[in-house]
Amino acid sequence: MSARIDRRAVVSRHDPRLTWADDAILSVGNGRFAVGVDRTGTQTFAGPGSDEERLNTLAEWGWHTMPGEPPAPWESLLRSYSSPRGPVPYLDLPEGTESPSPGAAWFRENPHKVSLMRFALVDRDGGARPSAAEITGATQHLDLWSGTIRSSFRYRGRACTVITSADPERDAIALRVEAPGLDLALSFPYGSTGWERAASWEEPDAHSTRCEGGRIRRRLDDLAYEVLVHGATAEQTDAHEVRLRASGTGDAAGTGHGASAPLRIGESAPRDGVLDVVLELVPREVPALPLPGRAEGTEGTESTESTESTESGAGIRARSARFWAEHWESTGVLDLGQATDPRAHELERRAVLSRYIQRVHAAGTLPPAETGLLANSWRGKFHLEMHWWHAAHFALWGDAASLRRSLDFYVSTLPSARETARRQGCRGARWPKQIGPDLHDSPSDIGPFLLWQQPHPIHLAELLRRADPAAALDPTLIEVVEQSALCLVDLLRPDGELLGLGAPLIGAQERHVEDRSRLQDPAFELAYVAWALRVADRWRSRRDARDAGELTTIARRIHSPLRADGVLSTFRAGPAMERSDHPSHLLAYGMVPPTGTIPAAAASAALDDALAEWDWDSTWGWDYPALAMTAARLRRPETAVDALLMPTVKNRCDGAGHFPQRPGLPAYLPANGGTLIALALMAAGEDDGPVSPGLPRTWGARHEGILPLPGPLTEL
């Protein structure tokens, strides 16, 4: 028996250590709440006059809607399309996404995620924030084992240190600031309808900030929350700015919550000018969120619950350290430390950092934005066709609880999804593409016509069941699986004795928008639907349902994804393959386990064709894990490694572990999640398959706590 993997050694050798020259942004958080910080450990170089969009304080409850009624009702955006079920209404944006109508623009822009607070260093005497030239020698270390960022720098020649941590359960951060000549200031923005902006600093009269001792009350139209200041005095210095100063031991000034806690091991004694403050954010009035357990009628009403408590920075740092140590010890690990190939070190680095990023930014109750809680993208709204890429890895890497939390979203959204299905002539529940907490599908000429988000809840529930067999008995998950499958059945298009997928439709490649009224049979979706129906049938069989076997019978009738000439292409029949954007046809033999309808030789030829001919500059960050999964299923480890590390602009992993995609999209969590899913397949393989089918044998790869992916299904 081999020795147990030294998990701390694996994790800690990839601690980010950054200097001023690095463009990466580090963050701390708990999956539902997170902050990004600059090299000072604060958000000093953000706010008015800065184009930096990654330094935010974001929470999954922090949504804002502009005041006033929408210019047109949401229902007025529906447009009738011909379908195999007759004329059905689909949400549409026929005028194009560049110039939507006022009604469409309103629903695209609202609600939007808002940055709740900025915390910045300011000069103690003049109140101005330091300039970049005044900060020298900046270095920063994220200790992954404790979830703590230590930032060291010099301000006007004086040594400064800031330690930044987040509470693992509450929406709170701890900041220990040892910075002679500097104080900490909190400033508060308004919401923004900009595509990538989470804050507007240009509308001071549209919102309110009121400091009452250590309680800062905030209101932005339909959003109200408080910031509780523990361990410092707070003084309002402007309409939307509050200055914090060290209050010494205890709460002598009467404006901070609680007293300083006893020192813990590793904590240095307080000194004059040392600020050790906790900032806790508490929602008081928030837009309606589809969160399980929220009592009916509480949305939009102000809470009177007191949040008085004693809190300390030392306490949060200790809880953070305990949480992260337990997280790393109790979940999966991939050790590639024996390999001398530099590619192995880079893959291990990406795995470790992606696991940290996903736990910080994507482990809440709502599906995350594609930039997580680091920055806004699509105004902070979430995309359900990306949810599999965000969340599937949690079950594979031993963190099934995080996947289970996000599946609650589907449970809460069932009534809305059922209504969409009914409107489109289907049974069951039809899941949207891009939505926010209002559950209104965002107007688009693409999103409402995508299909591949529909099988995701079945796939995710199955991964959860494999990690936690008790999930198979969960009545809420059984209902989500069943309702997803019923809608899939009714979306199938009769084609003689066989079944296909009919218009209106856009495939995952998203390259045939103008043909959405007539497209049929995208290869990946054919394979995915057929596999998902078989999985849903097994859920029926496990509970001895009377109709067990029916979905498998239907799945057998679905067209093969192959063209008539046996080639795996974008469509079974129809438009010629465009070798740009997502090579989605490869997902039919990678993300989807082999179903017997695609020979390995056809999948291998399609992979080689894509590697040789594709326009990789047009791809996105999850496309490289998609290639790697196909290569791993084909037992081509060198191809899998090269695909996952392909040197393209969309596949660069920065010093913090993020995958910048383009201006305005500085992070991309589907790339992080996809990397973890691909590595799980490459290391742990699939059911009844070989070990490490996607990693070179000479690497001596070792792993613990990583589950294999589903393999080919045998018939019921």
Side-chain angles (χ1 to χ4, degrees):
M1 179 180 294
S2 60
R4 188 174 183 271
I5 294 173
D6 184 342
R7 291 161 180 253
R8 185 162 191 168
V10 173
V11 170
S12 297
R13 62 181 172 239
H14 301 291
D15 281 1
R17 299 176 185 272
L18 307 178
T19 69
W20 198 268
D22 295 296
D23 65 352
I25 292 294
L26 299 176
S27 52
V28 295
N30 58 30
R32 302 172 303 279
F33 165 81
V35 301
V37 298
D38 59 32
R39 290 299 169 271
T40 67
T42 68
Q43 298 171 342
T44 300
F45 296 100
S50 170
D51 59 1
E52 176 56 71
E53 299 293 347
R54 297 172 292 177
L55 302 177
N56 295 293
T57 302
L58 295 173
E60 68 175 5
W61 50 262
W63 295 87
H64 171 249
T65 298
M66 290 298 176
E69 295 297 319
W74 182 87
E75 290 76 11
S76 69
L77 304 173
L78 297 172
R79 178 185 176 195
S80 181
Y81 277 81
S82 297
S83 81
R85 305 171 302 285
V88 293
Y90 274 71
L91 188 67
D92 202 0
L93 195 63
E95 63 269 53
T97 57
E98 296 302 320
S99 56
S101 66
W106 194 94
F107 283 104
R108 286 164 65 85
E109 295 170 355
N110 292 288
H112 42 264
K113 192 74 69 65
V114 62
S115 187
L116 301 167
M117 171 183 72
R118 169 182 170 240
F119 49 99
L121 298 171
V122 294
D123 187 82
R124 185 165 299 159
D125 296 326
R129 68 179 182 180
S131 68
E134 292 176 302
I135 303 294
T136 59
T139 61
Q140 198 167 47
H141 172 210
L142 168 57
D143 179 6
L144 294 167
W145 200 256
S146 67
T148 300
I149 300 172
R150 176 180 288 271
S151 307
S152 302
F153 56 94
R154 302 188 76 83
Y155 172 62
R156 297 179 178 175
R158 291 170 288 189
C160 302
T161 301
V162 175
I163 301 174
T164 312
S165 301
D167 192 284
E169 295 294 337
R170 297 155 62 191
D171 300 343
I173 58 169
L175 293 162
R176 181 178 175 87
V177 182
E178 301 182 27
L182 293 171
D183 284 335
L184 194 68
L186 310 182
S187 53
F188 300 93
Y190 191 55
S192 170
T193 59
W195 186 90
E196 77 284 2
R197 294 186 67 192
S200 171
W201 301 95
E202 293 81 35
E203 302 170 83
D205 297 332
H207 57 120
S208 66
T209 304
R210 191 168 76 251
C211 181
E212 300 174 355
R215 186 184 299 269
I216 303 168
R217 299 184 184 272
R218 289 278 295 144
R219 175 167 288 280
L220 296 79
D221 306 310
D222 60 338
L223 172 63
Y225 61 98
E226 294 177 355
V227 180
L228 305 182
V229 179
H230 305 273
T233 60
E235 177 188 1
Q236 188 154 1
T237 52
D238 205 343
H240 299 294
E241 182 177 280
V242 174
R243 186 80 63 85
L244 304 183
R245 292 186 175 90
S247 56
T249 59
D251 189 20
T255 56
H257 287 286
S260 298
L263 292 176
R264 299 174 183 271
I265 295 175
E267 298 275 343
S268 58
R271 301 193 306 271
D272 289 343
V274 175
L275 178 67
D276 201 349
V277 63
V278 171
L279 305 173
E280 181 179 4
L281 283 74
V282 181
R284 292 304 190 199
E285 185 176 337
V286 300
L289 298 176
L291 300 179
R294 180 184 292 273
E296 184 177 357
T298 61
E299 294 90 347
T301 60
E302 185 166 354
S303 169
T304 58
E305 178 188 356
S306 173
T307 317
E308 298 283 349
S309 64
T310 58
E311 185 55 277
S312 71
I316 284 184
R317 287 187 288 275
R319 284 199 298 277
S320 175
R322 285 195 300 269
F323 168 81
W324 282 105
E326 181 180 355
H327 176 74
W328 295 118
E329 288 284 10
S330 63
T331 57
V333 62
L334 174 62
D335 181 5
L336 301 177
Q338 296 182 33
T340 58
D341 188 331
R343 296 178 302 169
H345 179 83
E346 176 59 14
L347 283 183
E348 189 184 86
R349 183 185 79 92
R350 293 186 181 197
V352 169
L353 295 182
S354 291
R355 294 210 58 224
Y356 177 81
I357 285 170
Q358 292 290 77
R359 189 58 185 80
V360 165
H361 292 282
T365 304
L366 295 180
E370 295 192 23
T371 43
L373 295 168
L374 185 76
N376 261 5
S377 55
W378 290 272
R379 303 171 180 90
K381 294 186 178 181
F382 31 93
H383 295 171
L384 291 192
E385 94 280 17
M386 288 292 100
H387 191 209
W388 188 85
W389 299 93
H390 287 297
H393 66 89
F394 284 125
L396 299 171
W397 286 74
D399 188 8
S402 289
L403 173 57
R404 182 64 185 86
R405 275 194 299 276
S406 66
L407 289 180
D408 279 336
F409 171 80
Y410 295 96
V411 177
S412 300
T413 314
L414 264 174
S416 174
R418 281 195 179 106
E419 174 57 27
T420 300
R422 184 204 61 77
R423 190 170 56 242
Q424 296 180 1
C426 298
R427 296 171 296 164
R430 179 75 193 266
W431 307 111
K433 190 269 195 204
Q434 178 183 320
I435 56 172
D438 61 340
L439 304 185
H440 277 309
D441 206 351
S442 291
S444 170
D445 54 356
I446 296 177
F449 304 93
L450 292 177
L451 178 64
W452 66 299
Q453 71 272 21
Q454 186 64 26
H456 281 351
I458 300 173
H459 199 163
L460 291 170
E462 176 67 5
L463 292 177
L464 179 64
R465 182 198 66 80
R466 292 160 60 89
D468 178 10
L473 305 177
D474 186 330
T476 60
L477 290 183
I478 290 171
E479 185 70 3
V480 167
V481 169
E482 181 69 14
Q483 297 303 310
S484 301
L486 288 175
C487 186
L488 281 175
V489 169
D490 288 357
L491 287 170
L492 290 169
R493 169 182 58 87
D495 189 11
E497 294 298 316
L498 298 177
L499 298 169
L501 294 169
L505 177 68
I506 293 176
Q509 191 184 28
E510 298 186 12
R511 271 293 181 261
H512 302 276
V513 177
E514 295 179 357
D515 296 323
R516 60 188 180 274
S517 63
R518 54 183 178 272
L519 287 177
Q520 296 180 349
D521 295 345
F524 159 53
E525 283 81 352
L526 286 174
Y528 198 15
V529 171
W531 179 80
L533 289 179
R534 287 181 168 93
V535 171
D537 214 358
R538 289 178 175 245
W539 279 66
R540 285 184 175 182
S541 180
R542 273 188 292 271
R543 65 178 189 273
D544 295 323
R546 287 183 301 172
D547 50 2
E550 177 184 289
L551 297 177
T552 297
T553 299
I554 294 170
R556 291 192 191 109
R557 295 174 55 201
I558 294 176
H559 275 296
S560 163
L562 298 181
R563 293 188 330 209
D565 58 4
V567 171
L568 179 59
S569 184
T570 309
F571 293 91
R572 183 187 70 86
M577 183 164 63
E578 295 187 21
R579 291 174 172 82
S580 62
D581 197 66
H582 307 300
S584 60
H585 59 301
L586 297 176
L587 296 175
Y589 197 104
M591 173 186 170
V592 180
T595 60
T597 58
I598 303 173
S604 189
L607 176 60
D608 288 336
D609 173 83
L611 291 171
E613 302 292 341
W614 215 263
D615 174 17
W616 293 109
D617 287 344
S618 67
T619 55
W620 292 74
W622 57 265
D623 290 317
Y624 307 98
L627 292 173
M629 282 190 280
T630 300
R633 297 271 192 195
L634 292 167
R635 318 293 190 252
R636 295 173 54 176
E638 288 291 339
T639 304
V641 170
D642 287 343
L644 201 52
L645 293 176
M646 190 180 293
T648 68
V649 65
K650 297 286 185 69
N651 200 33
R652 180 179 71 87
C653 184
D654 70 18
H658 286 291
F659 290 82
Q661 300 293 287
R662 56 173 171 75
L665 199 56
Y668 195 62
L669 267 65
N672 297 101
T675 295
L676 293 171
I677 299 165
L679 284 172
L681 178 59
M682 292 162 68
E686 62 186 8
D687 295 334
D688 301 322
V691 176
S692 300
L695 295 172
R697 293 189 179 278
T698 57
W699 284 10
R702 303 168 65 212
H703 62 84
E704 293 173 356
I706 303 177
L707 296 180
L709 273 72
L713 285 176
T714 56
E715 295 290 353
L716 285 173

